Amino acid sequence: MPKKNLSGDGTAAPIDAWWWLSHKGTTTSFLCISLFALLIRSAVSMFPYSGAGTPPKFGDFEAQRHWMEITTNLPATDWYRNGTQNDLTYWGLDYPPLTAYQSYIHGILLRFFNPESVSLFSSRGHESYIGKLLMRWTVLSSDALIFFPSALFFVLVYHRNRAKSQVAWHIAMILLNPCLILIDHGHFQYNCISLGLTVGAIAAVLCGSEVLTCVLFTLALSHKQMSAYFAPAFFSHLLGKCLRRKNPILSLLKLGIAVIVTFVIVWWPYLHSVDDFLMVLSRLAPFERGIYEDYVANFWCTTSILIKWKKLFTTPSLKSISLAATVLASLPSMVHQIFSPSNEGFLYGLLNSSMAFYLFSFQVHEKSILMPFLAATLLALKIPDHFNHLTYYALFSMFPLLCRDNLLLPYLTLHLLFTLIYHSQLPKTKASSFSFTSFPGYVFLLRTHFFISLVLHVVYLTIQPPQKYPFLFEALIMILCFSFFVMFAFYINYTQWNFSSRFRSADKEKKQI
């Protein structure tokens, strides 16, 4: 039984809601929260998905099903090739080979239980009950088999030398990630696989298994190219550690071999000819779509209100400009880890590099916010207040997308669930020497932002936009979220550099003593 806590006046203090989980051990906590998280995912999967009942191309659900159709009926060399049996204009496969293999495995499952759901040509737009049920189960099983074990790996490593009182809370923040649940189990995608592999690679870094890190992160990159959002952090951290070894060349060579061998195994069907390899690469970089689509809260889309980037520059020029901007935004974090690598700095580096990619890279989608949000979730105990705010605006930035998918109720419910769990046991963190809350007027600005966002929620749902500006409300949501993301990016970059300087100061004080 927990001990009865007394407040200063002798009255009984509230019992810690997480006491039971915290004292049953990390594995027990993880299993209990996992079961609840799977239940929530199952509930969300009962709602509509992207493109439900909207021919002729439907949406992401149909894209994923179509890839299962293609991979189970055609040889691997034709999966990315345009032809009479594979019309690339109809949801052509545009992710790396590991996604294709995943589609093949899931397609075999669908073909066994419901052959018509993946039959070539005739299955287009297939939306039978059993077909939809099987598709939902493939996402749920992917989450349970890849993301959940990776999260457990991270929690065991990250909390091995930390107080156990907040482990259960952190597990809940990771497994009940509202953005990931809504996109994978509502909208319908398989981000849990690439993000799970990435979390596994991060955990491997924290426990010093650098070869395993390279293998897992190469697999993540070979599943979804968006995993490249984290590449600067992995590269700079591992390079910084190797440069401090007695034989840095040998260390780098070992990691390079791990990357190359993993890459060759995954990409083997497409390495027999240069044409096949380039064919796949061309599908992974949709430059013809332009520098942005829809109303994503990044730099290019937000500033296009004033600067017509697509009219002023050609696509090749915009590719170079966005690449330069992304590299420059990632550079401070990379330099920090090359010259001063540390596990905590690496976690901040992941957040900084993914935020830089989200804000400045070419062809960013609303769903790309999953990348920086994952990194922020892993740092939730370090930046609880800013993590809470990021969660709100990350969800809000996807609000129009989720409304189009008829996922308003899951959006509101998961938002409320997250808020309740988050406030059930707020982490106690040491006061930082720098915080936006110390800036005069910042709290007022944040509250104003929040009030405007509430108004925009209501306006978007109840009022028709002017005919002249049909996407006015999407644009306002984009501007509001972008302004927060920029402030957040500045704060995280400063924090990464600031905590290392504090550590150096502490070391100097110890030496003087």
Side-chain angles (χ1 to χ4, degrees), residues 250-284:
L250 183 61
S251 297
L252 286 171
L253 185 63
K254 181 175 65 174
L255 300 185
I257 291 173
V259 170
I260 293 171
V261 170
T262 306
F263 179 85
V264 168
I265 291 173
V266 175
W267 287 70
W268 182 249
Y270 309 100
L271 297 180
H272 299 293
S273 75
V274 175
D275 289 341
D276 285 347
F277 181 66
L278 294 178
M279 173 185 66
V280 178
L281 287 184
S282 67
R283 294 294 303 160
L284 307 186

Side-chain angles (χ1 to χ4, degrees), residues 177-180 182-183 369 373 388-402 410-412 414-416 418-419 457 477 481 485:
N177 177 329
C179 295
L180 180 59
L182 285 168
I183 292 300
I369 195 63
F373 186 67
N388 183 32
H389 301 153
L390 179 66
T391 303
Y392 179 82
Y393 287 102
L395 278 169
F396 189 42
S397 70
M398 299 190 297
F399 180 64
L401 172 70
L402 297 171
Y411 170 86
L412 295 174
L414 282 180
H415 215 147
L416 176 62
F418 169 83
T419 302
H457 273 98
I477 292 172
C481 293
F485 293 154

Side-chain angles (χ1 to χ4, degrees), residues 22 27 45 88 91 129 141 157 229-230 261 337 344 353 363 365 394 425 440 451 466:
S22 299
T27 305
S45 68
L88 293 181
W91 296 118
Y129 174 77
S141 60
V157 173
Y229 281 37
F230 300 115
V261 170
Q337 281 303 283
E344 189 170 346
S353 68
Q363 187 52 228
H365 196 276
Q425 185 184 18
F451 175 75

